[in-house]
Amino acid sequence: MDDKKRLRSEDWFNNLSDPKITALYLERYLNYGLTRDELQSGRPLIGIAQTGSDISPCNRIHLQTAERARDGIRDAGGIPFVFPMHPIQESCRRPTSGLDRNLAYLGLVEIMRGYPFDGIVLTTGCDKTTPAALMAAATVNLPSIVLSGGPMVDSYLDGRLAGAGTVIWEARKRLAAGEIDYDGFMMMLESTTLSPGHCNTMGTALTMNCLAEALGMSLPGCAGIPAPFRQRGQMAYQTGRRIVEMVHEDLRPSEIMTREAFENVVVVNSAIGGSTNAPPHIQAIAKHMGVEMVVEDWQEIGYEIPLLVNCQPTGDFLGEGFHRAGAVPAVMLELLQAGRIHGGCKTVSGKSVAENISGRESLDRQVIMPFDSPLIPQAGFMVLSGNLFDAALMKTSGISAKFRKRYLCEPGNENCFDARAIVFEGPEDYHDRINDAALMIDDSCILVIRGCGPIGYPGSAEVVNMQPPDEMIAAGISELPTMGDGRQSGTSSSPSILNASPESLAGGNLALLETGDMIRFDLNNSRVELLISEHELHARRDAYQPPELINGSPWEELSRTYTGQLSDGACLDFATAYRNLGDEPLRHSH
């Protein structure tokens, strides 16, 4: 007796109880050469969510990896179907790709739910493709596996390793100081773009792919392989084979993306020096999965974790060196041996975390350091609060020695400083006025930007890592404290206070801040306080008139209406109530 489980796809293509509707679903898929025998064979139908395209260069490698994934699916007995996913290119999308994560999520949910897939390969790369894909996998809960695209190969400037993205921030400072001209700026840019792939620094792209692996949603070693390496194609093939096995095992995201797995992610993010964009993305995935997670978890679980990965922007090396040193498995083995992660969590390999990383020691201790001899002893995020916002993040591993000496080393007042606020209404205002001598900006100031969150921008833009006035940069002061209700690029090393929630356009008191106000920063107690009286604060609130919001597109209006705050994942709040959509019976289309 054959007790093989009936596949979801058979309800479309092999429904013996309703041949009329089966014929309708089946017939058009024959027009490019597929056969009835294939589609009615009981073999798993596997979707490959294609994020690569000419307008998504960070993911374009997937035009090749998808072919190897197809080969793996076929060889394992499945039938592959490649379909397009909403494109996201962090560096080019205007006004911000922050608008696209939730839009890509919505589209992918409808495709996964509404078409005859038994399992899904999620191709990821550029920053927001990874969370969008995992959010959809959480909502639909079909067997799913992440295939990362990988970073570009290592790049150099003046004979030294120089990472993509990070070089742009350095080039901006050199341009401001008069050290280079326009052509020199462009030459610096070109020097770090040597191959297919996403940023080769530990920016948001590499961070999120590493965290997808730490979460258990990709095969061991997947995140770190540079895009052009032969191992990337081999990983794509193995991923294709594995998703077919996962369908037969009925291994679903809900068995993998558990509370313990998300705790592992927080710890790994600290150890790799991950991006400040990780918390809203990871919290969004958890929220769609139905796993309880709050922004304070990033400090409570992750703050004490040391920085083990010596990778730019907080270290010296780049993605290729990280891969050669052992990448995520080597980092997780250090953390497991130190008792800091849960080794029993299930992963897409069918094995536990502990089984996956057994014997995967670091192969280069300059790149992936021992737990007891780290680059920085405490590298996690600090979650700050006070009378300006309920929560904001600070990446403590991004605090440079110069910054610490200038602001955090006053005897008897260590890790505390007061600063005079210089307030900008968005990046346009910042660029227009940063060199205005009337502002009297010096090293006692903090640059503050607002109107840049999910509602204000909209979508939340990467604009908080502001640089000082040109005159200060020329004098050797290359960074000032910065703060805002937007985000910043993960390739930036600026120790900004960002993701402030609620944002200024959602009732946050950042809206009431005025240039010249004094703000006290107490990192010992995770507090940020505007130094005015409660009476004055209430008076400002009573007098406040919010700016008019002008929506540039239908999606901007929808996004502003339904998207939550960064501290809570910036999800479409209504969407998080939907679960297990892959199991829901669907009405027929005709």
Side-chain angles (χ1 to χ4, degrees):
M1 177 179 173
D2 186 4
D3 60 354
K4 184 174 75 171
K5 181 181 176 182
R6 182 175 173 81
L7 295 172
R8 181 176 183 267
S9 58
E10 293 183 88
D11 287 339
W12 274 261
F13 290 154
N14 198 24
N15 189 345
L16 299 179
S17 66
D18 194 348
K20 299 187 295 298
I21 198 69
T22 286
L24 183 67
Y25 294 143
L26 182 69
E27 63 94 14
R28 205 52 56 94
Y29 286 93
L30 306 179
N31 78 356
Y32 62 96
L34 289 174
T35 66
R36 261 190 65 198
D37 287 345
E38 291 172 284
L39 296 176
Q40 295 185 326
S41 63
R43 296 163 63 183
L45 268 60
I46 307 297
I48 302 175
Q50 176 59 273
T51 56
S53 70
D54 288 352
I55 64 166
S56 302
C58 290
N59 290 47
R60 199 176 184 279
I61 190 64
H62 286 306
L63 299 180
Q64 285 78 53
T65 66
E67 293 304 310
R68 290 300 289 143
R70 290 176 73 118
D71 293 341
I73 291 165
R74 280 278 179 183
D75 286 356
I79 310 292
F81 284 82
V82 179
F83 63 87
M85 187 171 155
H86 179 83
I88 305 177
Q89 181 55 37
E90 183 68 38
S91 58
C92 192
R93 168 68 153 102
R94 296 169 70 177
T96 171
S97 67
L99 284 165
D100 282 345
R101 187 200 71 181
N102 290 343
L103 184 58
Y105 155 78
L106 285 178
L108 184 53
V109 165
E110 292 303 314
I111 294 169
M112 290 172 66
R113 171 179 180 259
Y115 284 85
F117 297 126
D118 301 303
I120 300 288
V121 174
L122 304 164
T123 66
T124 66
C126 192
D127 302 10
K128 294 167 187 64
T129 53
T130 307
L134 287 170
M135 289 157 62
T139 296
V140 182
N141 203 29
L142 291 176
S144 303
I145 190 169
V146 166
L147 173 60
S148 301
M152 294 183 284
V153 296
D154 282 1
S155 47
Y156 295 81
L157 179 66
D158 301 329
R160 301 176 62 184
L161 285 167
T166 301
V167 158
I168 291 180
W169 316 124
E170 174 61 26
R172 285 184 176 184
K173 292 174 182 177
R174 292 192 190 183
L175 185 69
E179 297 173 9
I180 57 173
D181 59 11
Y182 176 84
D183 287 335
F185 193 118
M186 296 301 124
M187 287 177 64
M188 287 182 68
L189 165 72
E190 290 176 316
S191 72
T192 61
T193 311
L194 302 181
S195 78
H198 58 65
C199 290
N200 53 15
T201 55
M202 191 57 74
T204 308
L206 186 52
T207 293
M208 289 308 303
N209 284 278
C210 287
L211 298 187
E213 184 177 331
L215 191 56
M217 288 299 293
S218 59
L219 293 176
C222 179
I225 304 168
F229 278 27
R230 65 169 174 81
Q231 293 99 320
R232 177 54 64 195
Q234 292 168 336
M235 179 60 72
Y237 176 81
Q238 293 161 7
T239 298
R241 290 193 64 94
R242 179 59 194 151
I243 188 59
V244 177
E245 297 168 352
M246 288 174 65
V247 170
H248 291 309
E249 296 164 10
D250 199 27
L251 179 55
R252 300 183 182 227
S254 56
E255 298 177 62
I256 297 167
M257 294 197 285
T258 62
R259 169 68 189 187
E260 289 76 17
F262 282 104
E263 290 178 358
N264 284 353
V265 163
V266 173
V267 173
V268 170
N269 188 74
S270 297
I272 64 176
S275 166
T276 51
N277 288 309
H281 292 328
I282 293 299
Q283 285 172 245
I285 298 164
K287 202 168 182 180
H288 283 286
M289 196 73 259
V291 173
E292 183 68 27
M293 190 176 190
V294 294
V295 68
E296 289 78 12
D297 288 336
W298 293 86
Q299 179 164 330
E300 292 176 11
I301 299 170
Y303 178 70
E304 298 291 338
I305 301 301
L307 179 64
L308 304 184
V309 175
N310 184 11
C311 197
Q312 295 180 26
T314 54
D316 300 319
F317 295 92
L318 295 172
E320 188 178 332
F322 177 58
H323 163 64
R324 295 182 189 281
V328 175
V331 175
M332 294 189 77
L333 183 59
E334 287 292 329
L335 295 169
L336 181 67
Q337 290 173 341
R340 296 307 181 98
I341 61 172
H342 305 284
C345 293
K346 188 177 289 189
T347 73
V348 292
S349 72
K351 299 177 181 178
S352 69
V353 165
E355 290 172 313
N356 282 344
I357 63 179
S358 178
R360 303 286 288 267
E361 286 86 1
S362 171
L363 300 176
D364 187 339
R365 288 300 187 185
Q366 288 187 328
V367 181
I368 300 176
M369 300 180 169
F371 186 89
D372 58 2
S373 184
L375 196 63
I376 299 173
Q378 294 174 325
F381 296 144
M382 189 169 286
V383 181
L384 306 172
S385 61
N387 61 0
L388 286 171
F389 42 73
D390 294 337
L393 293 177
M394 186 178 192
K395 182 178 178 179
T396 57
S397 63
I399 299 174
S400 67
K402 283 185 179 180
F403 187 97
R404 184 172 296 280
K405 182 178 179 180
R406 187 182 298 273
Y407 297 105
L408 302 175
C409 288
E410 181 184 346
N413 199 35
E414 290 83 359
N415 297 317
C416 301
F417 67 99
D418 292 354
R420 177 169 59 91
I422 307 295
V423 183
F424 299 102
E425 307 291 346
E428 297 83 5
D429 185 32
Y430 161 73
H431 289 296
D432 286 346
R433 294 196 300 127
I434 184 60
N435 290 310
D436 184 350
L439 292 174
M440 295 185 291
I441 300 174
D442 57 27
D443 62 1
S444 69
C445 295
I446 181 167
L447 307 180
V448 182
I449 194 166
R450 65 188 174 202
C452 301
I455 297 172
Y457 207 72
S460 73
E462 295 188 339
V463 294
V464 180
N465 52 313
M466 297 167 282
Q467 66 186 34
D470 295 354
E471 190 175 81
M472 291 184 69
I473 294 174
I477 300 175
S478 61
E479 59 184 355
L480 290 174
T482 60
M483 181 170 71
D485 55 7
R487 301 175 295 110
Q488 76 180 28
S489 170
T491 64
S492 171
S493 61
S494 173
S496 304
I497 296 167
L498 38 66
N499 299 9
S501 304
E503 64 182 288
S504 59
L505 270 294
N509 282 346
L510 210 60
L512 311 181
L513 186 66
E514 298 178 359
T515 291
D517 284 343
M518 294 301 295
I519 307 172
R520 176 159 297 155
F521 299 87
D522 180 355
L523 302 190
N524 297 314
N525 295 294
S526 303
R527 298 293 295 177
V528 176
E529 300 289 346
L530 172 59
L531 299 180
I532 64 174
S533 68
E534 283 295 313
H535 176 78
E536 172 65 15
L537 197 60
H538 286 303
R540 290 187 187 183
R541 174 58 65 190
D542 290 341
Y544 176 67
Q545 294 293 323
E548 180 186 3
L549 296 178
I550 299 173
N551 294 306
S553 70
W555 174 240
E556 285 190 13
E557 183 172 357
L558 282 170
S559 181
R560 273 183 162 137
T561 302
Y562 295 109
T563 300
Q565 292 295 287
L566 288 169
S567 63
D568 200 30
C571 301
L572 296 168
D573 287 335
F574 68 88
T576 61
Y578 290 84
R579 304 268 195 280
N580 297 307
L581 300 193
D583 288 337
E584 296 290 328
L586 301 176
R587 300 176 74 181
H588 290 299
S589 60
H590 289 73

